[in-house]
Amino acid sequence: MSIAAPGRVEVDYAGSERLTMNMGPQHPSAHGVFRAILTLEGETVVGVDAVIGYLHRCHEKLSETLTYAQYPSIASKTDYVAAMTSEFAYVRAAEQIGKIEVPKRAQYLRVITSELQRVASHLLWLGTWCLDLGGALGGGATIFLYCIRERELILDLFESLVGARLLYGFYQVGGVRYDLPPGWAKTCRETVDLIDSRITEYERMLEDNPFFMARVQGVGYISRELAEDVGIAGPLLRGSGVNFDLRRADPYSSYDDFQFAVPVETAGDCFARYRVRMVEFRESLKIVRQALDGLPEGPISSRPGLKSVAQTRIPKGEAYARVEGARGEVGCYLIADGSAKPYRMKWRGASFSNLAVLPHIIPGHKVADVVAIMGSVDPVFGEVDR
Amino acid sequence: MAGREVQTVQDVRRHRDARRTGGTDIPVIVRTILSAMRMTFMNLFRKPVTVHYPDKTRNYPDRYRGLLALVYEKDTGEEACIGCRLCEYVCPPAVIKVEMLKSEKRNYAKSFTLELYACEFCELCVQVCPTDAIVMMKSFDMPTTDRRELLLDKDRLHTIGLSFEQSWATGNKLRDMQGPPKAARPVAHAPAAAEAGKPAAEGTTVS
Amino acid sequence: MTPAQARTLVSERFPAAQIEPPAEGAPVTVTVPPDQWFALARFAKDDLRCRFFSFLSAVDWKDQGLEVVARLDHLDDRVGLMMKTKLGPGVSACPSITPIFRGADWMEREAYDMFGIRFEGHPDLRRILLTDDWEGHPLLKSYAVDTPHPPYR
Amino acid sequence: MSESVMLVLVPFIVMNAVIGIVTYVTLLERKFAARMQSRIGPYRVGPHGLLQPIADAIKLMMKEDVVPTAADKPVYNLAPIVFLVPCMFIFATIPFAPGLGVADLNIGILFFLAISSMEIVGLFMAGWGSNNKYALLSAMRAVNQVISYDLPFIFASLVPVLLAGSLQLGDIAAAQSGLWFVFYPVIGQLAFIAFIASTVAAENRAPFDILEAESELVAGFRVEYSGMKFALIQLGEYTHVLGSSFLGALLFLGAWSGPGPEWLGPVWFLIKAMFVFLLVTWVRWSFVRIRVDQILALSWKALLPMTLLLLLATAFVVVWRTSGGA
């Protein structure tokens, strides 16, 4: 466990004795299983060494033994908080190699589900972040329970569409596996309007509230150069002033049919990332409304219904398909060898790179800030450890 | 990591002071504090969302993916499962083990075990079943004190099939929903199943 | 800067590099011998200004040996650059690009963890996902699935 | 004999009454907080969860009392007692009705403030004794916070003392029969707000609860305690909060003055104390916690100067009132 060379670091205390503290794998604000070995001088963090890998299931080896029909429902286990967009990346990579055309209705269904999933994932982010900031016996828990109450509405929507609440297996090479049940669009519109009004409520509880601002403004600054160098993506990148959103950069799955704004903040601190995500709430809800209005009729998959395990075969080739997940660019680099199973699959998890920026930005902050930064980076450890 | 320069307290303080605004003008502080407290007070009069689980159960949507179960043929009353092992091949965590019992008119499943503790409820087995034998129920209550009870064998699966309400999805319904709406496709399950079964067999020698 | 310009720039600077023909939706793909790997990364970051480090990984081509793949992006001009280098059969060493891209730090540790590729010049090369006392590198094709290996302690 | 019996009996009754109120105040807070978070709070134990506090007490008594081997045994075991005793003492000087009370000392409020700042010693002993990094950090933070917030707490509670002209709590309550001190034009409201703010901070209640900040220090100084010792610390904490809310009700809301017959006084006093307690709880469940250096900055830079000026203003009001013969 190596920490920075002592000479380089000037701290307030003249060489007082350092305390090595474990924000261990079972820590309440560790967002899953992540161990940060903090070197403290008083309350100030001097060095961070991150230990990950507790949730490693080797998805990449798994994908070499599972066929194209089986793996999407396993892919949702990488980023289990935004399961829809995880499957999307794998399925898009296979379709790009096999040049499989996806019917218009399936593309719209994919947009609706991944945008709803983004709202659900951001709700969980806001809830757990305020829980970290405010404590389970304080104001943080209030906002956490409000967010969970709203997230349940979206999970009910997914449950009536797919049957499952968290891990769906909704995507399939060539389209989607389920069509909208009757009356789903109406309940979806009601839920979207309700969540829209509730988000204004959260903002009224947090927006330039002295306690909240004191904790998040100016904390965890990520410069644009460091952001691009480490490869962080999504709300973190847009929080540091980079106007890059995959839904706008290379519009996949008919995203260019919808009008939505891409929020960009230049401050680069926790508050900027918070602002970016709060605007993304509204943009995603706007996309869902537009997609529901323009939902075309037609088939939901360009390939016949799945009848057997080795039904979809992808010709030889390779492709890197990227999807704008809730946490950033979720990519799947697929090499197919013509059989029913991929030869090699590299999963580019957004949280893996987002987490890699922590050792660069945490030193110098107080212990309380480490928790705020961890929350604003919003890592999901299924995606980090794969 | 000697080569990596580390952020110091001075850098952090500089970034914070450059971005820290507000926190000093009293009217904004008072307004935001009161608005935050008004939100929690307003919530005091909203109906709580808690569902008292054991007494009142939630209504499940009709596509709910709950417990796995085997069903009996509607008309003849026999077991619907023909032991074609398609579900065994398609199951990602490979929790289903089936042995086929050959007989003259149609085949049966000699044994059908399903390790419920490893099942992921992804509904692929229901989707590939040619005779709609395996379906999912609208219930998830499987609490047991002993993991071995979760190794369901054929008759346990049949009793579950009779004791709960069956959810909407069956093999044919799912395939019709997914497949492009052509005219009645030549519904030749048996040969297609047998042919598809062979190449898949050697493909998935998962330990 | 369009992908075509990027291809011409790379072909001028790296004559030994094989550049794949432009395909629809595919990034600029460049394969260089391992000794020019560091130079290509430096060139990509400074001259092509592909500053966004997307990912770095490896592929085990069984008998043709390992291949290291890295993906960079030019965010403003939407140009993707896929850098590849074949390490040749039996070779498992590759120059590290962590001094250029700090994001490569963890990615190279993961490639070492999964493929056993030793990256020279990496400040802190040790296993990142698996425990330190794990023998073997799982993502190699030789790390067969069926060998009875007690993964669960 | 009846005098000495009374001397023993009355404190015994008051202490048990306080413990009874404290246990049911935890239930009140959990129900109130639950409703604010659109859930329903404890519901299973007894009708509508009414037996929950008793169940908690029994559970904590039955729980195994784990003592860490590396702990500094004497300090570790003594800490909960040193923490609880001052919190119990503060009810000695609070009169529940004109004559009803343990000991209505003529230096009532001075005794209250002195004893209530003794509990920090027990807290630091707990933090130091359990030989745990998290507990040590939280004990350090606790000492900073409680000491720096005791001063504004004292100055804010001195305002009613000036207005009433006596330290005795009974006299302060009697002086408010006409006009409650909280309704004094400006200084009354400001003093009440300062009192509530410093009460919330002095007892490490959110949004100043960096003491046991779960997200950073797991459970703060209580992390190594379990079983009965944990119950004692919990009891002490809530007794201190309740004591401050009773004091707040007495100083600012006119303890037992209220419509209705004379014997209804203590009931009014209890209702007002509960109102102050719910106010503190309402603040607790609405805000995010702030960092330790910001808390200290808030106390030294904002709350302390403000309460000093307030005290000065009260002095002018008192001088103007007495000289002007108002």
Side-chain angles (χ1 to χ4, degrees), chain D residues 38-66:
Chain D
S38 67
R39 53 187 173 89
I40 53 173
Y43 192 78
R44 286 274 183 267
V45 187
H48 287 291
L50 285 178
L51 299 180
Q52 180 69 32
I54 296 161
D56 285 348
I58 295 169
K59 173 198 79 174
L60 281 176
M61 278 179 216
M62 287 197 308
K63 273 271 171 69
E64 184 210 356
D65 188 358
V66 175

mmCIF file of all heavy atoms in Angstrom, chain D residues 38-66:
data_model
loop_
_atom_site.group_PDB
_atom_site.id
_atom_site.type_symbol
_atom_site.label_atom_id
_atom_site.label_comp_id
_atom_site.label_asym_id
_atom_site.label_seq_id
_atom_site.Cartn_x
_atom_site.Cartn_y
_atom_site.Cartn_z
ATOM 1 N N SER D 38 -43.375 9.924 4.845
ATOM 2 C CA SER D 38 -44.461 9.161 4.201
ATOM 3 C C SER D 38 -44.321 7.668 4.491
ATOM 4 O O SER D 38 -44.478 6.837 3.612
ATOM 5 C CB SER D 38 -44.448 9.414 2.692
ATOM 6 O OG SER D 38 -43.297 8.876 2.107
ATOM 7 N N ARG D 39 -43.975 7.331 5.730
ATOM 8 C CA ARG D 39 -44.059 5.921 6.153
ATOM 9 C C ARG D 39 -44.754 5.930 7.506
ATOM 10 O O ARG D 39 -45.252 6.971 7.934
ATOM 11 C CB ARG D 39 -42.673 5.273 6.236
ATOM 12 C CG ARG D 39 -41.688 6.032 7.070
ATOM 13 C CD ARG D 39 -40.287 5.442 6.973
ATOM 14 N NE ARG D 39 -39.334 6.314 7.674
ATOM 15 C CZ ARG D 39 -39.046 6.203 8.970
ATOM 16 N NH1 ARG D 39 -39.636 5.264 9.698
ATOM 17 N NH2 ARG D 39 -38.203 7.023 9.551
ATOM 18 N N ILE D 40 -44.839 4.800 8.220
ATOM 19 C CA ILE D 40 -45.709 4.830 9.401
ATOM 20 C C ILE D 40 -44.987 4.567 10.706
ATOM 21 O O ILE D 40 -45.604 4.561 11.749
ATOM 22 C CB ILE D 40 -46.831 3.787 9.259
ATOM 23 C CG1 ILE D 40 -46.223 2.409 8.954
ATOM 24 C CG2 ILE D 40 -47.809 4.168 8.190
ATOM 25 C CD1 ILE D 40 -47.247 1.308 8.957
ATOM 26 N N GLY D 41 -43.685 4.305 10.688
ATOM 27 C CA GLY D 41 -43.013 4.145 11.972
ATOM 28 C C GLY D 41 -43.364 2.823 12.626
ATOM 29 O O GLY D 41 -44.050 1.984 12.034
ATOM 30 N N PRO D 42 -42.920 2.634 13.882
ATOM 31 C CA PRO D 42 -43.122 1.315 14.514
ATOM 32 C C PRO D 42 -44.614 0.977 14.589
ATOM 33 O O PRO D 42 -45.423 1.820 14.996
ATOM 34 C CB PRO D 42 -42.513 1.470 15.909
ATOM 35 C CG PRO D 42 -42.138 2.873 16.073
ATOM 36 C CD PRO D 42 -42.190 3.548 14.765
ATOM 37 N N TYR D 43 -44.992 -0.234 14.156
ATOM 38 C CA TYR D 43 -46.420 -0.560 14.050
ATOM 39 C C TYR D 43 -46.712 -1.929 14.613
ATOM 40 O O TYR D 43 -47.824 -2.254 14.991
ATOM 41 C CB TYR D 43 -46.796 -0.523 12.555
ATOM 42 C CG TYR D 43 -48.281 -0.555 12.313
ATOM 43 C CD1 TYR D 43 -49.041 0.594 12.477
ATOM 44 C CD2 TYR D 43 -48.899 -1.757 11.951
ATOM 45 C CE1 TYR D 43 -50.418 0.555 12.274
ATOM 46 C CE2 TYR D 43 -50.260 -1.783 11.742
ATOM 47 C CZ TYR D 43 -51.015 -0.635 11.902
ATOM 48 O OH TYR D 43 -52.356 -0.679 11.691
ATOM 49 N N ARG D 44 -45.656 -2.754 14.698
ATOM 50 C CA ARG D 44 -45.918 -4.165 14.988
ATOM 51 C C ARG D 44 -46.090 -4.417 16.482
ATOM 52 O O ARG D 44 -46.954 -5.167 16.893
ATOM 53 C CB ARG D 44 -44.701 -4.990 14.487
ATOM 54 C CG ARG D 44 -44.648 -5.113 12.991
ATOM 55 C CD ARG D 44 -45.472 -6.289 12.502
ATOM 56 N NE ARG D 44 -45.341 -6.431 11.048
ATOM 57 C CZ ARG D 44 -46.194 -5.869 10.181
ATOM 58 N NH1 ARG D 44 -47.202 -5.165 10.633
ATOM 59 N NH2 ARG D 44 -46.037 -6.013 8.893
ATOM 60 N N VAL D 45 -45.238 -3.756 17.313
ATOM 61 C CA VAL D 45 -45.216 -4.148 18.732
ATOM 62 C C VAL D 45 -46.371 -3.435 19.436
ATOM 63 O O VAL D 45 -46.390 -2.221 19.519
ATOM 64 C CB VAL D 45 -43.867 -3.693 19.360
ATOM 65 C CG1 VAL D 45 -43.767 -4.239 20.759
ATOM 66 C CG2 VAL D 45 -42.715 -4.130 18.499
ATOM 67 N N GLY D 46 -47.309 -4.171 19.895
ATOM 68 C CA GLY D 46 -48.423 -3.543 20.612
ATOM 69 C C GLY D 46 -49.309 -2.794 19.626
ATOM 70 O O GLY D 46 -48.980 -2.643 18.449
ATOM 71 N N PRO D 47 -50.453 -2.306 20.114
ATOM 72 C CA PRO D 47 -51.370 -1.588 19.184
ATOM 73 C C PRO D 47 -50.667 -0.343 18.639
ATOM 74 O O PRO D 47 -50.187 0.479 19.415
ATOM 75 C CB PRO D 47 -52.556 -1.219 20.065
ATOM 76 C CG PRO D 47 -52.043 -1.259 21.460
ATOM 77 C CD PRO D 47 -50.941 -2.269 21.500
ATOM 78 N N HIS D 48 -50.545 -0.224 17.366
ATOM 79 C CA HIS D 48 -49.911 0.951 16.733
ATOM 80 C C HIS D 48 -48.519 1.186 17.283
ATOM 81 O O HIS D 48 -48.072 2.322 17.369
ATOM 82 C CB HIS D 48 -50.783 2.207 16.946
ATOM 83 C CG HIS D 48 -52.023 2.176 16.100
ATOM 84 N ND1 HIS D 48 -51.982 2.303 14.726
ATOM 85 C CD2 HIS D 48 -53.321 1.921 16.405
ATOM 86 C CE1 HIS D 48 -53.210 2.202 14.232
ATOM 87 N NE2 HIS D 48 -54.035 1.952 15.220
ATOM 88 N N GLY D 49 -47.820 0.125 17.718
ATOM 89 C CA GLY D 49 -46.426 0.285 18.112
ATOM 90 C C GLY D 49 -46.247 0.920 19.476
ATOM 91 O O GLY D 49 -45.165 1.407 19.797
ATOM 92 N N LEU D 50 -47.265 0.935 20.313
ATOM 93 C CA LEU D 50 -47.137 1.639 21.595
ATOM 94 C C LEU D 50 -46.183 0.921 22.533
ATOM 95 O O LEU D 50 -45.599 1.528 23.413
ATOM 96 C CB LEU D 50 -48.523 1.771 22.249
ATOM 97 C CG LEU D 50 -49.408 2.857 21.579
ATOM 98 C CD1 LEU D 50 -50.756 2.913 22.228
ATOM 99 C CD2 LEU D 50 -48.687 4.205 21.666
ATOM 100 N N LEU D 51 -45.981 -0.372 22.356
ATOM 101 C CA LEU D 51 -45.092 -1.071 23.298
ATOM 102 C C LEU D 51 -43.658 -1.090 22.777
ATOM 103 O O LEU D 51 -42.792 -1.732 23.357
ATOM 104 C CB LEU D 51 -45.609 -2.509 23.506
ATOM 105 C CG LEU D 51 -47.019 -2.614 24.109
ATOM 106 C CD1 LEU D 51 -47.420 -4.065 24.279
ATOM 107 C CD2 LEU D 51 -47.044 -1.884 25.446
ATOM 108 N N GLN D 52 -43.415 -0.388 21.655
ATOM 109 C CA GLN D 52 -42.079 -0.460 21.062
ATOM 110 C C GLN D 52 -40.978 -0.025 22.046
ATOM 111 O O GLN D 52 -39.979 -0.722 22.185
ATOM 112 C CB GLN D 52 -42.044 0.433 19.805
ATOM 113 C CG GLN D 52 -40.729 0.466 19.065
ATOM 114 C CD GLN D 52 -40.416 -0.849 18.383
ATOM 115 O OE1 GLN D 52 -41.333 -1.550 17.944
ATOM 116 N NE2 GLN D 52 -39.146 -1.228 18.357
ATOM 117 N N PRO D 53 -41.128 1.124 22.769
ATOM 118 C CA PRO D 53 -40.032 1.507 23.657
ATOM 119 C C PRO D 53 -39.739 0.442 24.705
ATOM 120 O O PRO D 53 -38.581 0.136 24.980
ATOM 121 C CB PRO D 53 -40.539 2.784 24.317
ATOM 122 C CG PRO D 53 -41.642 3.274 23.482
ATOM 123 C CD PRO D 53 -42.220 2.087 22.785
ATOM 124 N N ILE D 54 -40.786 -0.180 25.241
ATOM 125 C CA ILE D 54 -40.543 -1.202 26.273
ATOM 126 C C ILE D 54 -39.802 -2.374 25.635
ATOM 127 O O ILE D 54 -38.834 -2.904 26.181
ATOM 128 C CB ILE D 54 -41.901 -1.637 26.883
ATOM 129 C CG1 ILE D 54 -42.517 -0.426 27.593
ATOM 130 C CG2 ILE D 54 -41.734 -2.786 27.845
ATOM 131 C CD1 ILE D 54 -43.982 -0.545 27.844
ATOM 132 N N ALA D 55 -40.229 -2.725 24.425
ATOM 133 C CA ALA D 55 -39.547 -3.841 23.741
ATOM 134 C C ALA D 55 -38.078 -3.483 23.526
ATOM 135 O O ALA D 55 -37.177 -4.297 23.762
ATOM 136 C CB ALA D 55 -40.224 -4.098 22.392
ATOM 137 N N ASP D 56 -37.824 -2.212 23.109
ATOM 138 C CA ASP D 56 -36.417 -1.816 22.906
ATOM 139 C C ASP D 56 -35.643 -1.957 24.207
ATOM 140 O O ASP D 56 -34.541 -2.504 24.232
ATOM 141 C CB ASP D 56 -36.363 -0.343 22.451
ATOM 142 C CG ASP D 56 -36.784 -0.245 20.977
ATOM 143 O OD1 ASP D 56 -36.864 -1.333 20.356
ATOM 144 O OD2 ASP D 56 -37.047 0.852 20.485
ATOM 145 N N ALA D 57 -36.252 -1.464 25.291
ATOM 146 C CA ALA D 57 -35.528 -1.486 26.583
ATOM 147 C C ALA D 57 -35.184 -2.931 26.941
ATOM 148 O O ALA D 57 -34.028 -3.260 27.244
ATOM 149 C CB ALA D 57 -36.391 -0.844 27.658
ATOM 150 N N ILE D 58 -36.173 -3.806 26.832
ATOM 151 C CA ILE D 58 -35.921 -5.209 27.220
ATOM 152 C C ILE D 58 -34.865 -5.813 26.304
ATOM 153 O O ILE D 58 -33.918 -6.479 26.745
ATOM 154 C CB ILE D 58 -37.250 -6.010 27.158
ATOM 155 C CG1 ILE D 58 -38.222 -5.474 28.218
ATOM 156 C CG2 ILE D 58 -37.008 -7.491 27.356
ATOM 157 C CD1 ILE D 58 -39.633 -6.010 28.062
ATOM 158 N N LYS D 59 -34.980 -5.496 25.017
ATOM 159 C CA LYS D 59 -34.007 -6.063 24.077
ATOM 160 C C LYS D 59 -32.595 -5.636 24.471
ATOM 161 O O LYS D 59 -31.669 -6.442 24.558
ATOM 162 C CB LYS D 59 -34.329 -5.551 22.660
ATOM 163 C CG LYS D 59 -33.285 -5.928 21.615
ATOM 164 C CD LYS D 59 -33.413 -5.062 20.372
ATOM 165 C CE LYS D 59 -32.755 -3.701 20.627
ATOM 166 N NZ LYS D 59 -32.713 -2.856 19.437
ATOM 167 N N LEU D 60 -32.450 -4.335 24.777
ATOM 168 C CA LEU D 60 -31.087 -3.847 25.080
ATOM 169 C C LEU D 60 -30.592 -4.480 26.377
ATOM 170 O O LEU D 60 -29.417 -4.791 26.531
ATOM 171 C CB LEU D 60 -31.111 -2.320 25.183
ATOM 172 C CG LEU D 60 -31.124 -1.613 23.811
ATOM 173 C CD1 LEU D 60 -31.250 -0.115 23.977
ATOM 174 C CD2 LEU D 60 -29.861 -1.950 23.032
ATOM 175 N N MET D 61 -31.535 -4.708 27.298
ATOM 176 C CA MET D 61 -31.065 -5.329 28.554
ATOM 177 C C MET D 61 -30.612 -6.752 28.285
ATOM 178 O O MET D 61 -29.616 -7.220 28.827
ATOM 179 C CB MET D 61 -32.220 -5.341 29.567
ATOM 180 C CG MET D 61 -32.400 -4.029 30.292
ATOM 181 S SD MET D 61 -33.801 -4.202 31.405
ATOM 182 C CE MET D 61 -34.509 -2.588 31.285
ATOM 183 N N MET D 62 -31.316 -7.443 27.389
ATOM 184 C CA MET D 62 -30.968 -8.859 27.190
ATOM 185 C C MET D 62 -29.729 -9.006 26.308
ATOM 186 O O MET D 62 -29.082 -10.042 26.300
ATOM 187 C CB MET D 62 -32.145 -9.579 26.524
ATOM 188 C CG MET D 62 -33.317 -9.814 27.430
ATOM 189 S SD MET D 62 -34.384 -11.051 26.712
ATOM 190 C CE MET D 62 -34.598 -10.350 25.061
ATOM 191 N N LYS D 63 -29.416 -7.988 25.525
ATOM 192 C CA LYS D 63 -28.324 -8.132 24.549
ATOM 193 C C LYS D 63 -27.015 -8.375 25.308
ATOM 194 O O LYS D 63 -26.797 -7.840 26.407
ATOM 195 C CB LYS D 63 -28.180 -6.834 23.734
ATOM 196 C CG LYS D 63 -29.097 -6.803 22.525
ATOM 197 C CD LYS D 63 -28.384 -7.420 21.318
ATOM 198 C CE LYS D 63 -29.367 -7.591 20.163
ATOM 199 N NZ LYS D 63 -29.785 -6.289 19.604
ATOM 200 N N GLU D 64 -26.126 -9.140 24.670
ATOM 201 C CA GLU D 64 -24.832 -9.435 25.314
ATOM 202 C C GLU D 64 -23.999 -8.157 25.335
ATOM 203 O O GLU D 64 -23.993 -7.400 24.362
ATOM 204 C CB GLU D 64 -24.121 -10.510 24.492
ATOM 205 C CG GLU D 64 -22.815 -10.983 25.089
ATOM 206 C CD GLU D 64 -21.833 -11.435 24.003
ATOM 207 O OE1 GLU D 64 -22.237 -11.445 22.815
ATOM 208 O OE2 GLU D 64 -20.690 -11.741 24.328
ATOM 209 N N ASP D 65 -23.314 -7.920 26.414
ATOM 210 C CA ASP D 65 -22.542 -6.686 26.564
ATOM 211 C C ASP D 65 -21.093 -6.993 26.167
ATOM 212 O O ASP D 65 -20.306 -7.498 26.966
ATOM 213 C CB ASP D 65 -22.625 -6.251 28.043
ATOM 214 C CG ASP D 65 -22.008 -4.867 28.185
ATOM 215 O OD1 ASP D 65 -21.532 -4.364 27.157
ATOM 216 O OD2 ASP D 65 -22.011 -4.320 29.275
ATOM 217 N N VAL D 66 -20.749 -6.684 24.914
ATOM 218 C CA VAL D 66 -19.426 -7.061 24.389
ATOM 219 C C VAL D 66 -18.420 -5.973 24.787
ATOM 220 O O VAL D 66 -18.648 -4.800 24.489
ATOM 221 C CB VAL D 66 -19.509 -7.157 22.850
ATOM 222 C CG1 VAL D 66 -18.142 -7.414 22.283
ATOM 223 C CG2 VAL D 66 -20.496 -8.228 22.458
#
